[in-house]
Amino acid sequence: MKKFSTHRLCIAPMMDHSDRHFRYLMRLLTKHAVLYTEMITSGALLRGDKKRFLSFNDIEHPVAIQLGGSEALELAECGKLAEAEGYDEINLNIGCPSDRVQSGQFGACLMSNPSLIAECVHTIKKHVRIPVTIKTRIGIDDRDDFQFLDEFIHTISKAGCETFIIHARKAILDGLSPKQNRDIPPLNYARVHSIKKAYPQLNIIINGGLIETDIVLEQLNHTDGVMIGRAAYQNPFWLTKLEQVLFNMESQVLTRKEIFEHYCQYMLAQSAKGNSLKSMSRHIIGLFQGQPGARKFRQYLSSGHPEISQNSPAILEEAIKSISFVS
């Protein structure tokens, strides 16, 4: 198991994206980033297919499981399962604004009840040895001033949480979809910077709108780390260059072509076990962004292509042929 001591670079948990195949690809691109599962609700894990929910590949370390829920004992039981499976961190989702999450009384709506979150953190920590962290927003609806966030962080940190990943937007719980909540509420990086100044002893990781290296470097002047979300999915090769800068690496580990070849080997092995190429190949559609032939490459691997739907490995060979220059 690869332990970690820094959240300098994290890859965000993204619903319908951050499955174990995506995380495998991310580890080919970055050796240092902390990887996160998509959110798994406590009820689904305890009463569903535990093997499917908890499955990951050893290459993924350091890897964190993100849980959604508000029942302290249920979350503690999930934490025990995750630790036994080998996860390196338990992250609680206090940031998702979807209606489904709100109806289950977890996600961003829990920001209004920090004492309950503190109870959950305290209870989980009594049952596991791995870190328990929080992913949250700067506020919800009209409760988005510094005092609100300050009291939230203060209450939960007293329960033993030392790492907060803060999406620098508030969540609007009524009237905006989860997608709109990623774009419409304005970014407020300064609010997160102020929290770091107020709590220098805590690890404060910033998330939201981090799509260029210069933006990331500026945020690291004020915080302990960054979490990259959609940019990691849409332009994954950027991560190799970002990692070089953040960790003073002299050269990138793999080229785009090498990453493609390694991931193809993985996909073929997984396909032989019954996993569909369609579910795995979607993660590399953006690998050649900016390269000649990238659009045709994306078209080959799009969900509507018949050979992808038929699970035909030949489509992978055809797709790479469309790239006229590989860097």
Side-chain angles (χ1 to χ4, degrees):
M1 181 184 299
K2 180 181 178 181
K3 294 297 183 181
F4 63 98
S5 59
T6 179
H7 287 79
R8 187 169 175 82
L9 177 61
C10 306
I11 307 301
M14 293 175 279
M15 291 301 293
D16 300 321
H17 285 16
S18 299
D19 61 21
R20 61 192 178 94
H21 310 305
F22 173 72
R23 299 192 307 267
Y24 186 95
L25 174 63
M26 290 295 101
R27 188 55 73 215
L28 294 177
L29 291 155
T30 166
K31 302 300 180 185
H32 296 88
V34 184
L35 306 180
Y36 287 76
T37 71
E38 56 188 328
M39 183 185 67
I40 304 168
T41 66
S42 57
L45 180 54
L46 293 178
R47 292 177 278 279
D49 186 343
K50 294 178 177 59
K51 182 177 180 181
R52 178 174 68 86
F53 283 121
L54 293 172
S55 178
F56 69 93
N57 191 297
D58 281 344
I59 193 179
E60 294 176 38
H61 289 294
V63 58
I65 187 170
Q66 187 184 71
L67 299 175
S70 57
E71 294 290 336
L73 290 176
E74 283 196 356
L75 288 168
E77 186 61 31
C78 290
K80 288 165 61 178
L81 291 173
E83 183 176 48
E85 195 66 24
Y87 281 93
D88 303 297
E89 173 186 326
I90 297 162
N91 180 261
L92 296 184
N93 184 319
I94 317 295
C96 182
S98 77
D99 292 341
R100 181 176 65 85
V101 165
Q102 291 181 59
S103 65
Q105 285 300 295
F106 53 92
C109 66
L110 281 179
M111 286 197 77
S112 63
N113 195 348
S115 60
L116 175 57
I117 303 170
E119 178 189 349
C120 292
V121 169
H122 178 71
T123 304
I124 298 169
K125 287 181 68 65
K126 286 197 302 184
H127 290 84
V128 303
R129 292 172 294 176
I130 57 178
V132 179
T133 66
I134 295 289
K135 186 174 190 296
T136 190
R137 296 264 182 153
I138 59 172
I140 50 175
D141 296 330
D142 59 347
R143 305 179 70 182
D144 67 336
D145 58 13
F146 176 79
Q147 182 179 354
F148 174 73
L149 184 59
D150 177 60
E151 292 175 356
F152 175 86
I153 299 292
H154 177 70
T155 300
I156 299 169
S157 62
K158 286 199 303 181
C161 181
E162 299 178 349
T163 299
F164 292 82
I165 302 164
I166 306 176
H167 188 154
R169 289 185 173 92
K170 71 176 181 179
I172 298 177
L173 301 181
D174 185 21
L176 292 185
S177 68
K179 182 179 186 300
Q180 290 171 320
N181 262 292
R182 292 195 297 269
D183 300 312
I184 292 177
L187 286 162
N188 189 340
Y189 292 142
R191 181 73 47 76
V192 183
H193 302 168
S194 296
I195 287 294
K196 178 57 188 177
K197 288 180 181 178
Y199 297 91
Q201 77 279 15
L202 298 179
N203 299 314
I204 303 299
I205 316 304
I206 197 166
N207 172 229
L210 305 177
I211 59 175
E212 297 176 3
T213 301
D214 288 347
I215 298 174
V216 168
L217 293 177
E218 170 58 24
Q219 294 311 308
L220 287 172
N221 289 328
H222 306 281
T223 62
D224 299 295
V226 295
M227 176 172 273
I228 309 298
R230 301 290 151 171
Y233 203 86
Q234 295 165 357
N235 185 18
F237 194 70
W238 171 56
L239 293 175
T240 66
K241 299 178 180 180
L242 180 62
E243 183 173 61
Q244 283 180 267
V245 175
L246 297 191
F247 296 95
N248 298 314
M249 297 170 64
E250 294 184 0
S251 61
Q252 65 192 47
V253 179
L254 297 173
T255 65
R256 292 181 208 254
K257 184 178 181 180
E258 289 169 336
I259 291 166
F260 177 81
E261 291 170 346
H262 279 282
Y263 191 63
C264 280
Q265 292 175 10
Y266 169 81
M267 286 192 289
L268 294 175
Q270 291 295 315
S271 179
K273 296 178 181 179
N275 292 289
S276 73
L277 285 177
K278 179 179 177 180
S279 69
M280 296 180 285
S281 63
R282 64 193 178 102
H283 299 316
I284 54 169
I285 285 178
L287 180 61
F288 293 96
Q289 181 170 308
Q291 301 296 297
R295 181 178 180 182
K296 190 174 182 180
F297 177 85
R298 291 194 299 271
Q299 291 171 343
Y300 270 117
L301 298 184
S302 69
S303 60
H305 198 288
E307 288 189 75
I308 280 292
S309 300
Q310 294 164 13
N311 229 33
S312 171
I315 193 64
L316 302 174
E317 296 179 11
E318 292 302 314
I320 194 63
K321 287 178 183 178
S322 66
I323 303 297
S324 57
F325 175 76
V326 177
S327 63

